[in-house]
Amino acid sequence: MRCLSILILAGVFCTVTAKVYSLGEIVGIAVKNSRSIKTIEQEMYKSEAEVQAVYGQSFPHVSLQMNLSHNFSEVDYDFAPTGNEFVDNLLKSISSRIEPKQSSGQIGLTLDQPLFAQGKVYYGLKLAKKNRVILNCKLQEEKLRVRGIIVKQYFNALMHSRNYQIANESVIIAREAHRVVTTRQSVGTSSEFDTLSSRLHLKNAELALTKTEIERRNAYETLLTTSGITESLSSFGLVDSVPLREYTLDLDQTLELVKKDNLTLVQLSGYGEVFDYRIKLAMTDYLPGIFAGITLGRNGQLNGYSEFDNIRWVDSRIVH
């Protein structure tokens, strides 16, 4: 009696501590943990960045260039003799005043503003936004796919759980029937054949219970794995939280609802538009564009890093 009380208390404790999940809770957890959905969400972040990048093409472009070059051979500014004494003396005087430099540096700042890019920004925005719409449809479609898988596995697990309950009740009934038949045989009101038949029925019921228990565990493990719920089999339970609904739609009404806002059809239509936008965007690369800008720069020469602070700079300005 004491052992029976302990077993009852243990069963009550396991029942109390087991967490029961409804279909809505399992679907929410599965959507949150789905790797495929997270991948599409990351692609949507990338698509949003592409839209912002296309917008950026219409803004002014600023670039900074810095160059430093060095001549490892000696620079010689001696002029070849011309045969005229006056000219030769003049060239020697010029060459003596020129101080050869071995290094030179350039720094420049360029500002460009596109004025007319032949639709490059326009079609680029159309393409980027259409890709974003397609990805959003793809995301919603993936969520529906994940929900569909979870719903099937949920009802499969619920069915095996009900089968286990039925098999367990069948074992209880078969065990009680076998006890009654055994008692009747002991008083001579039942034959040995009846006892053997009841024992066979009890064994078959116990085998069916073992089979349904294995199937229930497999269904629970599949549902836990797919949804990403971190629960053990001993602490996981299901509740039938889906109300029964009667659908009275005919075939025509069903087809009309399927065609309306169909995510697959929206994606197929979007792929066609993307193809057209890509062609038009590629054509803009062969058309002239109008840009305005200015380049500010400085050029200087030096013989080494020791003269870096005393470089003689020459300013340059180009408007285009």
Side-chain angles (χ1 to χ4, degrees):
M1 186 67 182
R2 183 178 179 182
C3 294
L4 180 61
S5 300
I6 294 175
L7 291 176
I8 294 175
L9 291 175
V12 171
F13 178 76
C14 293
T15 304
V16 173
T17 56
K19 186 174 181 180
V20 180
Y21 290 85
S22 64
L23 177 59
E25 292 174 335
I26 297 176
V27 168
I29 296 174
V31 171
K32 182 179 179 181
N33 295 333
S34 175
R35 293 184 179 180
S36 58
I37 292 177
K38 291 180 179 179
T39 301
I40 300 176
E41 289 176 345
Q42 293 298 323
E43 292 179 0
M44 291 193 65
Y45 293 145
K46 180 182 177 181
S47 177
E48 183 64 29
E50 290 177 353
V51 174
Q52 300 301 324
V54 175
Y55 272 119
Q57 294 180 6
S58 61
F59 296 148
H61 302 163
V62 180
S63 60
L64 177 65
Q65 303 89 25
M66 298 182 64
N67 297 312
L68 181 64
S69 59
H70 179 74
N71 189 2
F72 291 93
S73 61
E74 295 184 359
V75 181
D76 187 7
Y77 286 98
D78 292 337
F79 296 95
T82 62
N84 189 309
E85 183 178 358
F86 175 77
V87 175
D88 291 341
N89 292 332
L90 179 61
L91 294 177
K92 288 181 181 180
S93 177
I94 294 174
S95 62
S96 63
R97 292 180 180 273
I98 296 177
E99 182 183 357
K101 301 293 185 180
Q102 292 183 331
S103 301
S104 62
Q106 298 85 31
I107 181 171
L109 180 65
T110 303
L111 174 65
D112 291 327
Q113 172 62 54
L115 301 179
F116 183 65
Q118 297 288 355
K120 185 179 292 293
V121 176
Y122 174 78
Y123 290 117
L125 283 176
K126 287 285 188 180
L127 179 60
K129 290 181 179 180
K130 183 55 64 175
N131 282 330
R132 185 171 58 183
V133 172
I134 293 175
L135 282 176
N136 184 55
C137 293
K138 185 178 179 181
L139 175 63
Q140 300 304 322
E141 191 175 43
E142 183 63 21
K143 287 182 178 181
L144 290 176
R145 188 189 69 83
V146 172
R147 290 192 182 102
I149 293 175
I150 294 299
V151 168
K152 290 181 180 179
Q153 294 181 357
Y154 169 81
F155 282 110
N156 183 56
L158 197 63
M159 179 189 67
H160 286 296
S161 178
R162 297 286 178 82
N163 290 340
Y164 174 76
Q165 295 175 4
I166 294 172
N168 189 34
E169 292 175 359
S170 298
V171 169
I172 295 175
I173 295 174
R175 186 176 291 116
E176 180 64 20
H178 181 65
R179 186 189 65 81
V180 172
V181 171
T182 304
T183 303
R184 292 179 61 185
Q185 183 187 8
S186 62
V187 296
T189 59
S190 179
S191 64
E192 184 179 358
F193 175 79
D194 294 334
T195 304
L196 294 177
S197 298
S198 65
R199 181 180 298 177
L200 177 62
H201 180 68
L202 175 59
K203 291 298 181 181
N204 289 333
E206 291 175 347
L207 290 176
L209 178 62
T210 303
K211 179 182 177 181
T212 55
E213 169 63 12
I214 295 174
E215 292 175 347
R216 183 178 73 94
R217 291 176 62 89
N218 291 336
Y220 275 26
E221 288 178 353
T222 302
L223 184 59
L224 287 173
T225 303
T226 306
S227 61
I229 298 177
T230 56
E231 294 283 351
S232 61
L233 291 177
S234 59
S235 61
F236 178 73
L238 296 176
V239 58
D240 189 357
S241 58
V242 181
L244 295 178
R245 296 180 181 178
E246 182 179 358
Y247 292 93
T248 59
L249 298 176
D250 56 18
L251 179 59
D252 294 334
Q253 292 174 332
T254 304
L255 291 177
E256 185 65 26
L257 290 176
V258 170
K259 294 178 182 179
K260 182 180 179 181
D261 297 331
N262 189 291
L263 297 175
T264 302
L265 295 179
V266 173
Q267 290 183 68
L268 293 176
S269 176
Y271 286 134
E273 295 182 27
V274 166
F275 181 75
D276 294 336
Y277 290 145
R278 289 187 181 276
I279 293 177
K280 295 178 180 179
L281 185 62
M283 292 173 60
T284 60
D285 293 335
Y286 300 93
L287 299 176
I290 301 176
F291 296 84
I294 185 173
T295 299
L296 302 176
R298 305 186 75 183
N299 301 320
Q301 293 183 338
L302 69 158
N303 276 331
Y305 293 107
S306 60
E307 298 183 4
F308 193 80
D309 296 334
N310 299 320
I311 302 176
R312 184 178 178 181
W313 293 102
V314 178
D315 296 332
S316 63
R317 180 181 300 175
I318 303 174
V319 178
H320 54 279

